[in-house]
């Protein structure tokens, strides 16, 4: 019987395990727009506790969490500073412009975080011609920079600087638990340096849907209104919150395994001459592979890998991305390595 493909497209592809499905089936529910779904309340309390924040809000996706946060922190005509390769700048279909009426000021960086000096250069003076700089958005881990972890000292400096300039800080922490697993720094510490944090239940933590927005009571109250405005007010959604609770209770401690597997994959692929990859830069669960030297296009590579049962995603003109997750075990990684060898070693012969 043929194997299922080794699906390394994203850590979003995980399927709920039998025990997560049991938790879903047994969940108590109510109407969450009336705020009487007990399981959603439990999830929100647990998320607030784990992140050391006053309150939390369950949102359908990471994108909605980020966009709700931008709506809550800004007014039309404000400017928000983002990293050039960030999810907010690249993958949210210009949501900040359309929904919040906010202009984004991107800063190019090497690894996914900017310095205070870079930040200082783009902050607007108080001038009638210019937008008001209101918000700084961070992304940790950083997706397009290969899952890089922002050093905590950098975040501390940014926080201090933002406070001195009256700027709010929002963290796109879709994979903040991966950052924590890699650095050993408690998620509470990362969140304490931000006015709001979004993190995803539906990525490495293995839930089928959902993200959390955390912050102060005041922030979450405003965010709840904007979530409703965007159509994210959900009803008997305790069945989904139950999956989130299960994910938070069972799937955080195992994230380090995904990182070990990503490093194994990176180290093996780095030995293939036509692939360019920096295994020492793989800090978490994302591996970015430059295939330029193979002479093949990204489309050709995707097709050849897929035919042999390995799925990855295009990640730029000459790069593809592989992400390890809960549904990938050691055997899958060895199979993926074998397939990459077949595709790329054959190509140089
Ligand atoms: N990332 C997805 C794709 O959208 C690219 C992926 O496969 O990695 N912030 C970051 C840093 C993300 O990587 C993502 C999703 C989001 C926000 C948005 O989350 P969702 O997909 O739940 O809207």
């Amino acid at each position: 019987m043929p194997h299922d493909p080794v699906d390394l497209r994203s850590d979003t592809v995980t399927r709920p395990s039998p025990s997560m499905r049991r938790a879903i089936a047994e969940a108590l529910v109510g109407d969450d727009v009336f705020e009487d779904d007990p399981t959603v309340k439990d999830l929100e309390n647990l998320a607030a506790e784990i992140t050391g924040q006053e309150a939390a809000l369950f949102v359908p996706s990471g994108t909605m969490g980020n966009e709700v946060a931008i709506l809550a922190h800004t007014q039309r005509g404000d400017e928000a500073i983002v990293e050039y390769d960030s999810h907010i700048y690249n993958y949210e279909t210009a949501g900040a412009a359309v929904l919040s009426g906010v202009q984004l000021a991107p800063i190019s960086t090497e690894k996914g975080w900017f310095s205070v000096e870079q930040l200082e250069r783009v902050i607007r003076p108080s001038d009638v011609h210019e937008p008001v700089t209101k918000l700084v958005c961070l992304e940790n881990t950083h997706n397009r920079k290969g899952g890089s972890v922002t050093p905590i000292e950098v975040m501390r400096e940014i926080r201090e600087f933002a406070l001195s300039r009256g700027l709010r800080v929002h963290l796109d922490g879709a994979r903040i638990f991966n950052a924590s697993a890699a650095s050993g720094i408690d998620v509470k510490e990362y969140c304490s340096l931000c006015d709001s944090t979004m993190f995803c239940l539906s990525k490495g933590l293995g839930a089928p849907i959902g993200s959390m927005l955390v912050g102060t009571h005041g922030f979450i109250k405003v965010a709840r209104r904007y979530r409703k405005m965007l159509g994210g007010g959900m009803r008997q959604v305790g069945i989904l919150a139950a999956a989130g609770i299960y994910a938070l209770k069972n799937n955080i401690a195992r994230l380090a395994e995904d990182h070990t597997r990503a490093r194994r994959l990176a180290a093996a692929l780095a030995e293939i001459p036509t692939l360019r990859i920096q295994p020492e830069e793989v800090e978490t669960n994302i591996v970015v592979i430059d295939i330029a030297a193979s002479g093949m296009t990204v489309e050709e590579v995707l097709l050849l890998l897929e035919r042999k049962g390995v799925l990855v995603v295009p990640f730029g003109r000459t790069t593809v991305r592989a992400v390890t997750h809960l549904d990938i075990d050691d055997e899958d990684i060895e199979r993926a390595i074998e397939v990459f060898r077949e595709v790329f070693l054959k190509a140089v012969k």
Side-chain angles (χ1 to χ4, degrees):
M1 218 175 75
H3 288 286
D4 279 343
V6 179
D7 194 346
L8 300 168
R9 286 174 301 169
S10 181
D11 44 10
T12 59
V13 302
T14 56
R15 297 186 182 138
S17 63
S19 32
M20 183 182 275
R21 284 170 187 267
R22 258 193 309 281
I24 292 171
E26 288 164 10
L28 297 176
V29 297
D31 187 330
D32 186 50
V33 174
F34 289 112
E35 295 191 42
D36 64 22
D37 186 306
T39 312
V40 172
K41 289 285 150 230
D42 287 348
L43 171 64
E44 291 176 341
N45 290 337
L46 181 61
E49 188 193 315
I50 290 177
T51 56
Q53 295 294 298
E54 285 177 12
L57 184 71
F58 186 37
V59 288
S61 68
T63 302
M64 191 186 288
N66 282 336
E67 294 304 327
V68 161
I70 297 169
L71 276 162
H73 287 307
T74 62
Q75 291 177 298
R76 291 178 68 78
D78 285 344
E79 195 165 57
I81 299 168
V82 292
E83 202 279 332
Y84 187 84
D85 277 323
S86 63
H87 197 277
I88 290 175
Y89 189 51
N90 292 282
Y91 297 136
E92 300 190 5
T93 52
V98 175
L99 303 166
S100 298
V102 159
Q103 174 165 286
L104 294 179
I107 300 180
S108 287
T109 71
E110 196 194 329
K111 294 190 146 187
W113 60 84
F114 31 74
S115 63
V116 163
E117 293 69 41
Q118 282 176 298
L119 203 50
E120 186 150 34
R121 260 178 261 140
V122 298
I123 290 178
R124 305 282 184 168
S126 169
D127 180 313
V128 73
H129 299 87
E130 302 197 32
V132 175
T133 309
K134 189 67 73 63
L135 178 65
V136 178
C137 298
L138 311 177
E139 186 174 311
N140 191 11
T141 66
H142 196 294
N143 181 9
R144 283 208 61 86
K145 298 291 188 189
S148 64
V149 180
T150 308
I152 193 80
E153 313 79 64
V154 170
M155 284 185 61
R156 280 202 198 103
E157 281 167 25
I158 290 173
R159 175 56 161 181
E160 210 171 293
F161 177 75
L163 281 174
S164 75
R165 296 300 188 93
L167 304 176
R168 304 268 187 98
V169 178
H170 170 68
L171 172 60
D172 175 345
R175 298 185 178 85
I176 195 63
F177 288 96
N178 293 86
S180 174
S183 66
I185 291 164
D186 198 312
V187 162
K188 289 190 178 81
E189 204 168 334
Y190 288 118
C191 296
S192 74
L193 300 171
C194 306
D195 295 287
S196 57
T197 300
M198 181 283 289
F199 73 83
C200 293
L201 299 163
S202 60
K203 298 204 165 59
L205 300 183
I209 182 172
S211 295
M212 304 305 298
L213 196 51
V214 299
T216 61
H217 286 300
F219 168 79
I220 292 298
K221 193 168 172 208
V222 177
R224 188 178 292 279
R225 282 185 71 82
Y226 282 120
R227 181 188 68 172
K228 189 75 182 74
M229 182 191 281
L230 299 186
M234 301 178 284
R235 304 294 177 175
Q236 286 71 21
V237 77
I239 51 173
L240 301 178
I245 293 172
Y246 184 93
L248 288 174
K249 289 190 174 161
N250 296 281
N251 294 343
I252 293 177
R254 57 155 309 284
L255 287 172
E257 285 177 36
D258 297 341
H259 300 178
T260 306
R261 293 192 178 107
R263 281 196 300 274
R264 160 76 187 133
L265 180 67
L269 299 189
E271 284 172 12
I272 299 176
T274 51
L275 296 181
R276 205 156 53 77
I277 182 169
Q278 310 290 348
E280 64 286 353
E281 284 177 13
V282 175
E283 293 179 83
T284 58
N285 65 333
I286 297 178
V287 182
V288 179
I289 305 148
D290 191 327
I291 53 108
S294 71
M296 290 186 273
T297 63
V298 163
E299 292 70 30
E300 285 164 346
V301 164
L302 293 182
L303 201 68
L304 287 172
L305 290 173
E306 187 179 348
R307 280 202 198 128
K308 291 175 180 287
V310 172
L311 307 180
V312 296
V313 287
F315 216 52
R317 220 172 38 80
T318 63
T319 48
V320 298
R321 182 189 74 168
V323 185
T324 56
H325 53 77
L326 191 71
D327 291 351
I328 294 294
D329 60 17
D330 290 337
E331 207 181 301
D332 293 323
I333 291 295
E334 297 313 314
R335 254 176 70 212
I337 292 167
E338 208 35 58
V339 165
F340 268 90
R341 284 183 183 142
E342 282 170 25
V343 167
F344 289 95
L345 292 176
K346 210 165 102 199
V348 286
K349 274 181 201 150

